[in-house]
Amino acid sequence: MIEISDLTKEFKSGKNKKLTVLKNINLEIEDGDIYGIIGMSGAGKSTLIRCINLLEKPTRGKIIIDGMDITAKTGRELSAIRKNIGMIFQNFNLLMQKNVRKNIAFGLEIIRTKDFIVPGMSVKEYRQLSYFKKRKVKKAEIAKRVDELLALVDLKEKEFYYPAKLSGGQRQRVAIARALATRPSILLCDEATSALDSMTTDSILRLLKKINEETKVTIIVITHEMNVVQKICNKVAVLDKAEVVAMGDTNEVFTNNTSEIVRNLVGGGNV
Ligand SMILES: Nc1ncnc2c1ncn2[C@@H]1O[C@H](COP(=O)(O)OP(=O)(O)OP(=O)(O)O)[C@@H](O)[C@H]1O
Ligand SMILES: [Mg+2]
């Protein structure tokens, strides 16, 4: 479970001035949820997701994953936490000079198994574990995992293509496979379908739902599109000007809520 508790993020804006981008955010995301966070441009969505994977340090508040406050972690523990969190983006962020297989394998090639030290484990305990050898993940192991992932995202026939020769939807499939390579328990999606047409959006959403059902990975979906939340999210939080203005089961939030921002979302199709 991910518990976000009283999270506030401020950025400096000029001398002695600060901009509050997230204000006292409280959210509970259960294991296996597909949790939507919807709001207008500038509401603070990307900043919130960047706090969850610790690319931004919260100014105040806690982010607790499975009972552990991750905001206080550093060094090896922090990198272990990051490996448990995959992320995909609007613009895919693929390595253009590597083919599909190499893009998917990348996360596995750069890690060493010692990075998977379990939080709380002492160095002595870690050294005693024979399977935590200080070696890279074996090539054959990587190849096997890449094959599994190619099948999962249905891209086997494009395995040697470079990203420049793929469609947007195919690029996002590669990005999804790459994000899942290390078997994270959380997948963060920041506007993952915003650059895609509606049919391709639907196919990516179906894929995310299938992955969620098969692997039980918790998915957090950041979007400004109502359609995305309604199609796949079981829960949703509406973010407006740095604050959560509504949250709960997707259907309830959009049928029972009378706040202006929610009415705009429902009425306009998207923000
Ligand atoms: N590193 C930073 N320094 C200063 N201000 C920042 C920084 N990152 C984000 N902001 C500000 O925080 C606010 C929220 O930005 P954020 O990117 O989280 O919004 P968003 O909801 O993701 O918007 P969009 O839908 O356009 O992606 C914006 O006003 C932005 O200018
Ligand atoms: Mg954003």
Side-chain angles (χ1 to χ4, degrees):
M1 184 160 101
I2 307 169
E3 296 163 82
I4 297 173
S5 155
D6 263 331
L7 181 76
T8 293
K9 177 68 187 177
E10 294 163 353
F11 287 112
K12 277 198 185 129
S13 66
K15 251 192 178 171
N16 305 322
K17 276 198 194 158
K18 60 189 180 194
L19 178 69
T20 305
V21 176
L22 297 171
K23 200 168 166 187
N24 301 109
I25 306 289
N26 288 289
L27 292 178
E28 277 188 9
I29 301 168
E30 308 268 359
D31 291 347
D33 272 349
I34 303 186
Y35 202 109
I37 296 172
I38 188 166
M40 289 200 241
S41 181
K45 305 181 298 294
S46 293
T47 306
L48 176 59
I49 219 169
R50 288 168 59 81
C51 284
I52 297 174
N53 65 4
L54 296 172
L55 290 173
E56 296 284 358
K57 200 168 166 44
T59 309
R60 284 185 293 282
K62 289 181 180 167
I63 296 168
I64 300 164
I65 300 182
D66 298 335
M68 183 173 68
D69 181 8
I70 62 166
T71 52
K73 301 295 178 191
T74 54
R76 194 178 272 180
E77 272 185 322
L78 180 61
S79 59
I81 292 163
R82 285 223 179 98
K83 289 203 181 66
N84 187 36
I85 305 177
M87 183 147 174
I88 58 171
F89 307 86
Q90 178 170 357
N91 55 2
F92 324 121
N93 286 13
L94 298 179
L95 301 158
M96 298 308 279
Q97 71 285 16
K98 288 187 188 282
N99 68 25
V100 167
R101 279 198 82 88
K102 295 243 161 167
N103 264 283
I104 297 174
F106 187 69
L108 293 167
E109 279 168 355
I110 58 169
I111 56 160
R112 286 169 185 272
T113 40
K114 73 175 163 110
D115 289 335
F116 286 105
I117 188 163
V118 178
M121 184 187 277
S122 72
V123 173
K124 196 174 161 211
E125 282 168 322
Y126 155 67
R127 285 203 182 117
Q128 282 166 351
L129 287 172
S130 58
Y131 55 86
F132 275 121
K133 289 272 163 46
K134 292 181 185 176
R135 57 161 173 83
K136 290 187 173 179
V137 182
K138 279 190 186 133
K139 271 200 175 141
E141 249 172 75
I142 293 178
K144 186 164 162 264
R145 181 70 183 137
V146 171
D147 285 336
E148 277 170 23
L149 290 157
L150 283 167
L152 181 73
V153 302
D154 199 15
L155 269 186
K156 183 69 184 157
E157 76 271 30
K158 305 281 183 196
E159 61 181 332
F160 298 113
Y161 275 53
Y162 285 79
K165 297 216 169 142
L166 298 175
S167 70
Q170 289 164 342
R171 288 183 198 187
Q172 195 59 292
R173 284 170 189 271
V174 179
I176 291 168
R178 183 184 57 180
L180 296 173
T182 56
R183 301 180 198 277
S185 66
I186 301 166
L187 177 65
L188 307 176
C189 311
D190 191 353
E191 301 281 3
T193 56
S194 300
L196 305 173
D197 63 46
S198 65
M199 264 174 68
T200 314
T201 293
D202 283 355
S203 83
I204 294 293
L205 295 179
R206 278 197 304 273
L207 176 62
L208 290 173
K209 191 148 176 86
K210 179 183 95 166
I211 290 167
N212 166 263
E213 281 163 5
E214 284 177 9
T215 68
K216 304 290 170 224
V217 64
T218 304
I219 302 183
I220 302 180
V221 173
I222 297 274
T223 184
H224 64 278
E225 289 171 302
M226 180 70 183
N227 160 48
V228 169
V229 173
Q230 282 179 324
K231 284 214 167 103
I232 61 166
C233 298
N234 61 318
K235 298 263 184 66
V236 65
V238 181
L239 199 59
D240 184 37
K241 299 190 193 81
E243 293 187 80
V244 172
V245 294
M247 65 174 163
D249 291 344
T250 303
N251 289 337
E252 276 172 34
V253 167
F254 293 122
T255 44
N256 299 334
N257 208 284
T258 51
S259 75
E260 196 188 338
I261 177 86
V262 175
R263 272 190 284 126
N264 282 343
L265 285 164
V266 175
N270 61 39
V271 187

